[in-house]
Amino acid sequence: MQHCAPEQLALAALAEQLPAGDAAHLASCPQCQAEVASLRRPVDVLAVPPLSGGGTEVAPPPRVWDAIAAATGVSAAPRAEALTGDPAEPAGAVVVPLQPRRPATRWLTVAAAVLVGGVLGGGAVALTRDDDGSVVATTALDPLAAENASGRAEVREVDGVRSLQIDLDAPELTDGYYEVWLLQPDAVRMVPVGVVRAGDTVLPLPSGLDLGEYPLVDVSVEPMDGDPTHSGISVARGELST
Amino acid sequence: MSAVTTDPDDAEVARRFAAGDEQALALAYERWAGQVHGMAVRAFGPGPDAEDVTQQTFVSAWTGRAGYSAAAGPLPAWLVGICRHKIADNWAKLERQRRSAEAVAADARSAAAPTGGDGLAGAVADRVLLLGELNRIGQPQRRIIELAFFEDLTHAQIAARTGIPLGTVKSHIRRTLERLRDRLEVDGAALRS
């Protein structure tokens, strides 16, 4: 087959799925793989979640406006509710930690994933059974950009009751705690599962929860502020394969 | 207490902002400070670093308002672009501080071993470099690559969102990635050597 079109290689560098013929060629062509790797460099440099304009809005504290007014000499002022993060505003109420759906780590593995075929994804699918019941789904938890938390998550089922087992490797927090959530792929809806610590934690899952609908395991850092919603600060994430 | 007149729409706020209307800065802050601060918090966590970035973004936007052009995109997108630069600049500053602290510590130990921090410093320098290059890319190419990078849309979603034909989106993505890659190869390597 001919080499892939340059445009297709650029899409591969952005981790887009290629048509089957292009994907097959790419898997076997070192020249096209090298081109994808070189085009992926700017992607790796720039496509990090903190630089994304989408995502959870966070109302700044009032002193931020005070500083802006002082620096610019502007005498107009925003309405008071804008300065306090009025909870009626969608900005404060939406419970959406919108990290991009492709974690940064995946950019690194496009060509590799093509090369090794199903091994990366497929290896996690193994159904096993041992004393703790059967493993019905599992995933690695990869750190989100600039974070150093990682781990594994497994859903186990014993006598029809499912639980989520988390093995978390993450730094100790002094002024907050880790919480684990199950998210829909668009991260618009989510279910809190419970508090986790570094090490092993087992949490019961609500019966009837459809893991196909909520396949993303998300670990967030939550401040001790009494707010039960997601902080928007996710540190590790993985997608369950069943 | 609110005025009887309806609030100006976003385009009107942008026009008045560019014209130097102080009330438009307050309106822009009401509407978009949450988005800007959300980015800063994702980059630095809640606290003084994130607050500094939000403050710097609005102050820079106001003092540089003559550089805003409605033709290049809506005002919130421009604010987000400024915020990206402020985040990268502050990362770079923190990285320099970390490195000089390490250098002091290394001198004290008279240890000569490299710390392995060069990769991170290089990544920060590359980010600053590429954000600058992005600013020089005209529309609609810049909007297309920003949607791909920062909103994580596929080329088909970008075509649907912008109304630009699929083939044009693909060729813009290709050319922009080549341009950014070449910039990295010329200057990124030089910065690190």
Side-chain angles (χ1 to χ4, degrees), chain A residues 128 135 137-139 152-156 163-167 240:
Chain A
T128 59
V135 175
T138 172
T139 181
R152 289 195 56 75
E154 280 182 348
V155 177
R156 289 173 174 265
S163 58
L164 184 66
Q165 181 170 332
I166 304 275
D167 180 8
L240 290 169

Side-chain angles (χ1 to χ4, degrees), chain A residues 122-191:
Chain A
V125 184
L127 290 177
T128 59
R129 180 171 237 300
D130 56 33
D131 294 341
D132 296 327
S134 52
V135 175
V136 297
T138 172
T139 181
L141 299 173
D142 295 322
L144 293 162
E147 301 290 350
N148 53 359
S150 62
R152 289 195 56 75
E154 280 182 348
V155 177
R156 289 173 174 265
E157 186 167 346
V158 185
D159 299 326
V161 178
R162 291 173 308 170
S163 58
L164 184 66
Q165 181 170 332
I166 304 275
D167 180 8
L168 182 68
D169 178 10
E172 198 76 37
L173 297 174
T174 53
D175 54 356
Y177 59 95
Y178 295 107
E179 185 163 11
V180 61
W181 308 75
L182 289 173
L183 313 187
Q184 293 195 342
D186 57 7
V188 171
R189 291 175 188 278
M190 61 189 61
V191 176

Side-chain angles (χ1 to χ4, degrees), chain A:
Chain A
M1 172 179 170
Q2 299 267 320
H3 287 307
C4 299
E7 286 77 15
Q8 295 296 338
L9 296 178
L11 295 182
L14 283 165
E16 285 202 35
Q17 190 101 44
L18 296 191
D22 285 305
H25 171 78
L26 180 59
S28 64
C29 175
Q31 196 180 327
C32 285
Q33 286 164 15
E35 179 69 3
V36 170
S38 88
L39 290 173
R40 204 165 49 238
R41 291 194 55 218
V43 182
D44 289 336
V45 166
L46 279 179
V48 296
L51 294 179
S52 159
T56 312
E57 298 191 6
V58 180
R63 60 179 169 270
V64 174
W65 171 262
D66 295 341
I68 292 167
T72 58
V74 163
S75 56
R79 281 167 282 203
E81 58 265 32
L83 292 176
T84 54
D86 182 347
E89 288 290 314
V94 174
V95 191
V96 186
L98 277 182
Q99 303 282 356
R101 61 187 151 75
R102 289 189 302 235
T105 45
R106 277 187 44 199
W107 300 105
L108 304 173
T109 55
V110 183
V114 170
L115 283 174
V116 298
V119 174
L120 284 181
V125 184
L127 290 177
T128 59
R129 180 171 237 300
D130 56 33
D131 294 341
D132 296 327
S134 52
V135 175
V136 297
T138 172
T139 181
L141 299 173
D142 295 322
L144 293 162
E147 301 290 350
N148 53 359
S150 62
R152 289 195 56 75
E154 280 182 348
V155 177
R156 289 173 174 265
E157 186 167 346
V158 185
D159 299 326
V161 178
R162 291 173 308 170
S163 58
L164 184 66
Q165 181 170 332
I166 304 275
D167 180 8
L168 182 68
D169 178 10
E172 198 76 37
L173 297 174
T174 53
D175 54 356
Y177 59 95
Y178 295 107
E179 185 163 11
V180 61
W181 308 75
L182 289 173
L183 313 187
Q184 293 195 342
D186 57 7
V188 171
R189 291 175 188 278
M190 61 189 61
V191 176
V193 181
V195 174
V196 284
R197 298 158 176 267
D200 281 318
T201 309
V202 179
L203 298 163
L205 283 178
S207 60
L209 179 72
D210 183 354
L211 291 176
E213 263 190 75
Y214 291 85
L216 296 178
V217 181
D218 174 275
V219 179
S220 68
V221 171
E222 299 293 333
M224 310 254 195
D225 57 3
D227 180 352
T229 63
H230 195 294
S231 64
I233 305 165
S234 295
V235 293
R237 193 173 284 183
E239 179 165 4
L240 290 169
S241 354
T242 52

Side-chain angles (χ1 to χ4, degrees), chain B residues 77-145:
Chain B
W78 188 64
L79 292 171
V80 159
I82 294 173
C83 184
R84 260 180 214 128
H85 282 274
K86 297 301 175 193
I87 288 170
D89 290 348
N90 279 272
W91 271 337
K93 189 181 77 188
L94 293 172
E95 179 59 21
R96 281 195 302 275
Q97 288 168 352
R98 190 188 67 76
R99 282 160 66 83
S100 63
E102 271 181 4
V104 170
D107 283 349
R109 291 195 308 269
S110 61
T115 59
D118 290 348
L120 180 55
V124 169
D126 286 346
R127 254 173 218 150
V128 176
L129 178 77
L130 287 194
L131 287 172
E133 188 69 17
L134 264 190
N135 268 5
R136 284 185 282 278
I137 293 173
Q139 300 291 6
Q141 289 89 334
R142 180 161 149 212
R143 172 89 179 126
I144 288 170
I145 206 70

